[in-house]
Amino acid sequence: MTTTFDIYDAYIDILQNDQFSPPLAAIKALTKLIQNSDAGTMFELVSALQKGAKDLSSRSSNPISLNAGCELFNAFVTLFPHDSHNFENLKQRLIDYGETYATEALTYREKIAELAFGFIKDGSVILTHSYSRVVMQTLLRAHKQKRISVFVTEARPRGLGIKTAETLTAAGVPCKVILDSAVAYVMDKVDFVLVGSEAVVESGGLVNAVGSNQIAIIARAANKPFYALAESYKFHRLFPLSQYDLPSHNTKFLSFSRPSLPEGPASIKSSNDESIIPSDTSTLSPKPDLDPPRITQEQISQSNPDVDYTRFVLYSSTATYSIILIFRTKSPRPDLISLVFSDVGSLTPEGVSQYLVGMFSG
Amino acid sequence: MPVPSMADPPLPVHKPTGAPSQKSMTKAERRELQEKQRAAKQAAKQAQPQGGKPAGQPGKGQQQGAPAAPKLKPPQTPQKKVFVVEASGSRQHASGSRDAAGANAADAPSVPPGLRIFSHFGQPKVVGHVVKGDIHPEIVRLGLLFSEFKISGANARCIATLSAFKKVIQDYTTPPQNTLSRHLMTHLSPQISHLVAARPMSVTMGNAIRELKLAISNIDIDMVEQEAKNTLCQKIDNYIRDRIILAGAVIEQLAGTKIKDGDTVLTFGRSSVVEKMLLEERRKGKNVSVIIVDSKPLLEGKHLLKSLTSGENPIPCTYALLPALPTLLTEVSTVFLGAHSLFSNGAVYSRAGTAMVAMMAKVHNVPVVVCCETYKFSEGVMVDGFSKNELVPIPVIQRTAGEYNPPTNQNLETLNPLYDLTPPTYITAVVTEVGLIPPSSISSIPLALGKTSL
């Protein structure tokens, strides 16, 4: 069994359930790993878990939110009191806690929806981006008691905004899909922006579906509040200095491919020193007759990132206050309540970073 | 402009112009001044025949510049000092100040010019200051090293101080009818004040000494003296190891992850942590190029340049002075800075010029990373670099920056502050041994670390 267990397959399997977001799926996959592991000591187990986490993140195309889950679980296992009589017993308890946490974590979204409800006024026009489970839950919760209407961006290249719009329309929420390029056009009609998140990082910034950063910039310019919703397992000990400092960044993104057309500098160059290049120009000259290069949608999406990083400076100011709504639940370990899992409620971005710093350095 | 001062023969009568400020001085300072004036009078007598010579060719001496300047300097510098005094009293008596200056002619090389507006920065200390009281020879030696800026970095000074205190503690014997935990501190206090007299105390030293005091007061009264001393020395060693050396190593590692292959890194002046980090990343095989921005008065970047370009794995470096910064910033991927201290509002107190680099980088959207050990954190809050600062003594400038002539014009003052303050908004991240943190979260760190760790 241990030899055949593949953590990535298990992870993908768990993700099939629409309710589980990547960090939770990662936690569940690691729990499965413990189940299938034949480790006889704590050290073996921890290194197996670390290897599993590394495996997951190396095979996933966008490892940021997944890493947050792995980090949380591994920190929990490392800090777990070794007071069991035998190791099998300890492993069983770890598995139980992992399972309980994952099921309990599913209720976080309801709690966030409750917290966020107070921030949504009757008759609000909300702009959201792409698809986020927690935003959906919040919007549907608000729709029960208040009249809201929603603009949702198309969110290319994956087009997940359409999914949001379809779900909302089915639930009876007035909803319009707007182009990603029309955010600035629509911003003045909007009361506030509400987005989900892939991860909340140590700087207090946000990692979310690509396009969030530009929405935040436009919201800031229009003095509209920008709220982000994040479950506590999305806290990630990462400090990106810039967009290109994210683990998901790939040199393939934004790199220029070499155009094969002979026009431009090449022909000018050949005219300058013809003595050397006549043979060169002769081979190049037939090329313009070929079809002009075509760029497909797949090519575009391949050379673009999935996520971007929004610095908190953008959405925290006196003019537009902004709050990240997070809910943490009680720890399965009573002595760690104040340290690791506690109910932190609504936090400002500075609060997030202070909380994270305090949590990990304590 | 300086001509009149040369033309007027010294008239020692007006000396009391200095009196009003004397009231505000401390006893020690007053005595020092008196002694100086006495010495000055004597020297003035000797200088009299000499004084005629520069007076004979005043204009020429000024324009000649460098060669003549050293001769002219002595009578010039004290004028400034008196000028400060005057500024606080009545300013119209310009001639009085000049006369007094003449009287004080002799203490010229030892008393640097005062300042009209930044007088609260304190006079730069005289190199080779006097030893008062029962000072341990190790401390005297260290005092000289400090005042001559032979040891000048925040880390280096803290380590040197703690190591010297170890010797002081080992050479200490508790007097009869006394206990070590109560008496040792009274023995250490004059040593500390001696070091402070040599150069204002750094935040790092302050933090370390506070921890040391705590450790001393926690020593059990019944402990055997030698054992108590060993315990203290052990604690000092641990402090140096945990809070400075190991912390530095962790920071190097963390900061190193923010450098990617092919990056161009910009740094200002010289920071021991940044230096080690860059060398380490190079050793790991990363292709880094470094732009060292430097500035007068200390030109510490030269040392960094030397250590980065020599050695087994030399790093390609560009050396530039501060005015070239905007041109260079367009090619930079990250700015790494060191720090003297970090205040709880997230402001970075560092070598003068740092703030400018950080602000300029911010304008160019280049991330600014400050490397700072947690023992450098200060509990206070500072909002600008004027409320507290230090001046670079002129002899030090002359030694480090090469040819430097203090201004010979009495209406011209030079200001060489050693530090400046970078507001937290210009800093992207602070690298500490507990991780990368945004400057706004600095205040949550000391609590998390527990300050009682010496």
Side-chain angles (χ1 to χ4, degrees):
Chain A
M1 180 78 185
T2 39
T3 45
T4 53
F5 176 74
D6 184 276
I7 186 156
Y8 189 68
D9 289 347
Y11 167 75
I12 292 295
D13 204 38
I14 299 160
L15 269 187
Q16 296 303 313
N17 182 340
D18 194 42
Q19 280 303 302
F20 288 109
S21 55
L24 275 188
I27 289 176
K28 273 181 88 78
L30 288 176
T31 321
K32 282 227 169 79
L33 179 94
I34 299 182
Q35 235 159 14
N36 290 292
S37 134
D38 54 357
T41 64
M42 196 64 194
F43 182 78
E44 275 175 20
L45 186 69
V46 169
S47 50
L49 283 173
Q50 269 159 3
K51 198 182 153 287
K54 208 177 266 177
D55 239 29
L56 272 182
S57 83
S58 64
R59 286 167 69 178
S60 162
S61 61
N62 173 26
I64 296 175
S65 60
L66 175 162
N67 282 346
C70 293
E71 196 179 72
L72 186 70
F73 190 72
N74 283 347
F76 170 69
V77 170
T78 325
L79 292 170
F80 198 77
H82 312 333
D83 51 4
S84 294
H85 296 296
N86 62 46
F87 192 68
E88 282 309 310
N89 194 335
L90 181 78
K91 264 193 345 194
Q92 193 49 51
R93 279 176 60 197
L94 282 174
I95 293 164
D96 290 349
Y97 282 136
E99 295 287 348
T100 345
Y101 182 80
T103 27
E104 209 177 297
L106 288 177
T107 64
Y108 288 5
R109 288 189 202 121
E110 284 161 36
K111 288 164 183 163
I112 293 174
E114 279 309 319
L115 272 169
F117 181 70
F119 288 88
I120 301 174
K121 275 190 236 131
D122 192 31
S124 293
V125 180
I126 302 165
L127 174 67
T128 184
H129 178 58
S130 192
Y131 179 81
S132 154
R133 294 175 194 87
V134 64
V135 169
M136 288 308 291
Q137 196 139 1
T138 307
L139 290 176
L140 292 175
R141 165 75 186 81
H143 177 61
K144 280 183 194 160
Q145 288 175 16
K146 290 173 181 173
R147 283 160 290 185
I148 55 163
S149 29
V150 177
F151 286 115
V152 58
T153 54
E154 186 186 7
R156 287 225 174 187
R158 291 162 76 195
L160 284 173
I162 294 162
K163 185 179 169 188
T164 308
E166 282 167 358
T167 324
L168 287 176
T169 315
V173 183
C175 187
K176 264 274 180 302
V177 178
I178 60 160
L179 293 172
D180 295 317
S181 41
V183 172
Y185 183 82
V186 86
M187 191 54 86
D188 281 341
K189 294 268 180 214
V190 165
D191 288 317
F192 62 88
V193 183
L194 189 70
V195 298
S197 59
E198 293 256 334
V200 176
V201 290
E202 255 188 308
S203 56
L206 195 71
V207 179
N208 196 24
V210 68
S212 304
N213 190 25
Q214 62 199 32
I215 295 177
I217 292 171
I218 293 169
R220 176 81 186 78
N223 281 336
K224 302 283 171 164
F226 183 96
Y227 298 129
L229 306 176
E231 300 93 320
S232 58
Y233 49 77
K234 286 182 173 168
F235 276 23
H236 192 10
R237 208 157 188 220
L238 183 79
F239 200 122
L241 295 178
S242 67
Q243 303 291 344
Y244 319 117
D245 199 21
L246 289 174
S248 58
H249 182 72
N250 191 320
T251 42
K252 198 172 64 194
F253 301 154
L254 316 174
S255 65
F256 293 101
S257 58
R258 198 159 263 252
S260 48
L261 286 175
E263 268 97 29
S267 55
I268 297 163
K269 198 180 168 192
S270 63
S271 64
N272 279 349
D273 35 13
E274 269 168 294
S275 55
I276 317 166
I277 326 205
S279 61
D280 221 21
T281 41
S282 65
T283 53
L284 284 172
S285 50
K287 275 198 176 172
D289 303 334
L290 294 172
D291 284 342
R294 298 217 161 258
I295 296 170
T296 60
Q297 285 299 326
E298 287 94 88
Q299 281 175 324
I300 296 173
S301 65
Q302 266 167 23
S303 58
N304 274 283
D306 283 340
V307 291
D308 64 7
Y309 165 60
T310 311
R311 280 176 306 147
F312 81 78
V313 187
L314 276 174
Y315 55 92
S316 85
S317 78
T318 45
T320 70
Y321 62 98
S322 133
I323 287 167
I324 297 198
L325 301 162
I326 304 143
F327 192 85
R328 314 199 124 232
T329 185
K330 283 213 164 55
S331 156
R333 267 192 68 195
D335 57 306
L336 274 182
I337 286 174
S338 62
L339 263 179
V340 188
F341 310 101
S342 62
D343 178 358
V344 289
S346 307
L347 293 180
T348 58
E350 278 113 335
V352 172
S353 59
Q354 287 209 350
Y355 197 81
L356 261 174
V357 166
M359 187 168 112
F360 284 102
S361 61
Chain B
M1 237 348 189
V3 177
S5 73
M6 291 289 95
D8 276 354
L11 289 171
V13 206
H14 273 277
K15 199 176 55 202
T17 26
S21 88
Q22 278 189 6
K23 271 175 200 148
S24 59
M25 289 173 163
T26 64
K27 215 179 250 177
E29 279 174 321
R30 236 177 282 155
R31 195 197 298 152
E32 211 172 313
L33 188 85
Q34 263 179 355
E35 269 164 32
K36 258 179 215 150
Q37 282 171 342
R38 209 173 300 139
K41 232 187 262 173
Q42 215 164 11
K45 259 185 229 157
Q46 291 168 351
Q48 211 78 322
Q50 244 182 22
K53 216 199 281 170
Q57 31 144 343
K60 219 169 150 199
Q62 295 307 314
Q63 276 130 32
Q64 258 171 3
K71 230 180 229 172
L72 292 176
K73 192 180 64 183
Q76 296 300 328
T77 30
Q79 277 173 5
K80 289 278 175 46
K81 188 188 165 216
V82 177
F83 194 71
V84 176
V85 165
E86 244 211 3
S88 57
S90 63
R91 271 188 75 172
Q92 4 0 4
H93 288 124
S95 68
S97 93
R98 260 181 257 129
D99 299 343
N104 284 349
D107 55 47
S110 57
V111 182
L115 295 157
R116 228 171 314 178
I117 40 176
F118 295 114
S119 50
H120 64 287
F121 284 176
Q123 298 293 321
K125 286 298 183 297
V126 179
V127 175
H129 61 292
V130 249
V131 175
K132 284 180 212 138
D134 177 24
I135 305 295
H136 193 279
E138 193 66 27
I139 299 291
V140 175
R141 183 176 152 269
L142 196 59
L144 281 169
L145 288 172
F146 279 3
S147 65
E148 287 174 28
F149 278 66
K150 292 271 162 64
I151 298 179
S152 64
N155 279 349
R157 273 166 80 197
C158 187
I159 294 174
T161 311
L162 287 176
S163 312
F165 280 166
K166 262 167 56 186
K167 292 208 179 79
V168 176
I169 290 172
Q170 284 299 353
D171 292 346
Y172 162 85
T173 35
T174 316
Q177 318 295 328
N178 240 325
T179 54
L180 181 131
S181 61
R182 290 196 189 142
H183 185 261
L184 179 55
M185 213 46 231
T186 55
H187 177 70
L188 281 182
S189 306
Q191 324 282 337
I192 295 168
S193 359
H194 181 84
L195 289 180
V196 175
R199 202 187 143 187
M201 185 149 71
S202 68
V203 174
T204 53
M205 285 161 66
N207 282 348
I209 288 168
R210 197 175 314 130
E211 298 278 326
L212 179 64
K213 274 184 186 168
L214 192 76
I216 290 173
S217 62
N218 282 343
I219 291 279
D220 192 358
I221 296 179
D222 298 327
M223 204 185 252
V224 184
E225 188 173 308
Q226 188 53 45
E227 201 183 313
K229 288 197 228 168
N230 290 346
T231 317
L232 283 176
C233 289
Q234 186 58 48
K235 283 194 170 168
I236 290 176
D237 280 339
N238 288 350
Y239 187 90
I240 295 177
R241 188 196 61 200
D242 296 347
R243 304 297 297 272
I244 308 178
I245 312 275
L246 287 181
V250 174
I251 290 172
E252 281 149 33
Q253 216 178 336
L254 285 174
T257 59
K258 292 294 167 200
I259 297 184
K260 289 180 189 59
D261 203 39
D263 270 4
T264 305
V265 166
L266 185 137
T267 184
F268 177 76
R270 180 197 198 189
S271 152
S272 55
V273 177
V274 173
E275 177 183 332
K276 274 186 240 154
M277 186 263 293
L278 290 172
L279 286 170
E280 175 63 19
E281 289 310 303
R282 178 68 188 166
R283 204 185 55 75
K284 282 184 194 158
K286 272 188 200 166
N287 267 322
V288 221
S289 53
V290 178
I291 297 175
I292 301 168
V293 175
D294 208 357
S295 128
K296 281 191 169 185
L298 292 182
L299 294 176
E300 289 163 303
K302 282 182 180 175
H303 299 282
L304 179 66
L305 181 67
K306 198 177 270 177
S307 79
L308 290 186
T309 49
S310 57
E312 281 170 32
N313 284 318
I315 301 173
C317 285
T318 307
Y319 180 88
L321 292 178
L322 213 43
L325 184 64
T327 336
L328 293 167
L329 259 177
T330 49
E331 296 159 27
V332 173
S333 26
T334 319
V335 174
F336 282 92
L337 299 170
H340 173 87
S341 170
L342 224 95
F343 291 90
S344 45
N345 58 341
V348 174
Y349 191 59
S350 191
R351 191 67 77 231
T354 308
M356 206 164 134
V357 174
M359 287 172 184
M360 191 76 83
K362 176 82 177 182
V363 170
H364 286 256
N365 248 336
V366 178
V368 180
V369 179
V370 174
C371 302
C372 181
E373 296 88 342
T374 52
Y375 90 108
K376 285 180 176 175
F377 287 11
S378 168
E379 278 158 358
V381 168
M382 210 156 132
V383 283
D384 59 34
F386 305 120
S387 50
K388 196 187 111 186
N389 212 319
E390 202 183 320
L391 295 175
V392 190
I394 284 167
V396 174
I397 303 175
Q398 282 165 336
R399 201 185 67 229
T400 51
E403 212 171 284
Y404 174 83
N405 301 310
T408 47
N409 185 332
Q410 66 158 336
N411 290 322
L412 175 68
E413 298 172 348
T414 53
L415 180 70
N416 282 306
L418 193 54
Y419 300 108
D420 67 10
L421 195 85
T422 313
T425 39
Y426 298 105
I427 296 153
T428 315
V430 180
V431 190
T432 68
E433 66 263 33
V434 293
L436 269 85
I437 47 174
S440 55
S441 306
I442 293 299
S443 48
S444 56
I445 284 285
L447 296 170
L449 261 186
K451 292 211 104 184
T452 57
S453 58
L454 181 104

